[in-house]
Amino acid sequence: MNFKQFGVLLSISTILGINVIATKVLAEDSPSITFGDAIGSGGCIVDDQLPGEDGRSLSIVLDNFNAFNGQRKKCILRVQTFIPSGFIVQDVQVLYQGTTDVDSKSKGTSLNRTYSFSGGALGQAVAPAKTTKFTSGKAFAEQDEITVLAASGLCSGGGQGLLGINLIAQSSQGSNIFVDTADLNAGDVRLYFDLKRC
């Protein structure tokens, strides 16, 4: 082997070595959350749940969560989470996708959301109740940002927590709202957890 070939091999092994180290650091800085079964009650059913490839997101497909022509429907979602050791939740984004059908003489529809966290691994949610009103028929995507206050001493080991979401879908006469799979244009509830190292 001549000096030129040796130099090329040395360069390749150096690049591969750096790549392995960078991948390892990236994997350590991007831990995954383990999600337990999402549970829906009070007027909705969890039809399916799909964890994201990033290890920090979860898509929840609902069934039977819609309100027609003056109805008011409630949905209580509970999502079990297992946070990796050495990390805490910094914030949570929740995206609601669905559709509304609103007659021109109708008062429209609304979607109300409140949040709760239990279990030390999640800390405490800081998010006021939020209501979005829809006065025209359309597909919608509403995103809420939940700031999390970490409990003291939380960084000792990650752990288990429970995210609670209380939803109310309200329709007036001549309007409908869908936050489920009953309508082809309706969507799901997507969660994204932003973690930070202690």
Side-chain angles (χ1 to χ4, degrees):
M1 175 183 305
N2 64 32
F3 184 73
K4 195 172 190 179
Q5 289 173 327
F6 177 74
V8 169
L9 283 176
L10 185 61
S11 296
I12 289 172
S13 66
T14 303
I15 290 169
L16 288 175
I18 291 171
N19 191 29
V20 167
I21 292 168
T23 303
K24 185 176 179 183
V25 169
L26 186 62
E28 289 174 358
D29 286 342
S30 302
S32 294
I33 296 173
T34 303
F35 294 101
D37 289 339
I39 299 170
S41 63
C44 66
I45 299 165
V46 174
D47 189 47
D48 199 3
Q49 67 183 59
L50 308 165
E53 290 181 10
D54 59 7
R56 296 182 184 191
S57 59
L58 180 69
S59 179
I60 301 171
V61 178
L62 297 176
D63 195 12
N64 196 37
F65 187 45
N66 45 55
F68 300 102
N69 206 27
Q71 287 182 322
R72 180 181 187 268
K73 281 277 195 82
K74 188 172 186 178
C75 178
I76 301 168
L77 284 176
R78 297 294 179 258
V79 181
Q80 195 78 31
T81 62
F82 300 90
I83 309 303
S85 178
F87 288 85
I88 58 172
V89 176
Q90 186 168 348
D91 57 53
V92 180
Q93 292 93 41
V94 185
L95 175 67
Y96 301 93
Q97 298 181 110
T99 58
T100 61
D101 294 323
V102 178
D103 185 88
S104 60
K105 297 176 186 175
S106 168
K107 293 181 181 177
T109 64
S110 64
L111 182 64
N112 179 274
R113 293 92 70 194
T114 58
Y115 301 95
S116 64
F117 289 173
S118 60
L122 284 176
Q124 182 177 347
V126 180
K130 182 144 185 173
T131 300
T132 304
K133 296 185 179 187
F134 305 99
T135 56
S136 62
K138 64 177 183 175
F140 65 83
E142 290 294 314
Q143 182 165 315
D144 294 345
E145 303 279 337
I146 306 165
T147 301
V148 179
L149 296 179
S152 61
L154 185 62
C155 286
S156 59
Q160 182 177 335
L162 187 70
L163 168 61
I165 304 174
N166 298 323
L167 301 166
I168 297 174
Q170 177 79 47
S171 65
S172 58
Q173 292 296 325
S175 66
N176 308 311
I177 183 169
F178 302 88
V179 195
D180 68 3
T181 57
D183 178 28
L184 291 178
N185 295 321
D188 55 10
V189 177
R190 296 186 185 180
L191 309 173
Y192 177 77
F193 289 76
D194 186 17
L195 299 180
K196 72 174 181 178
R197 190 178 289 280
C198 297

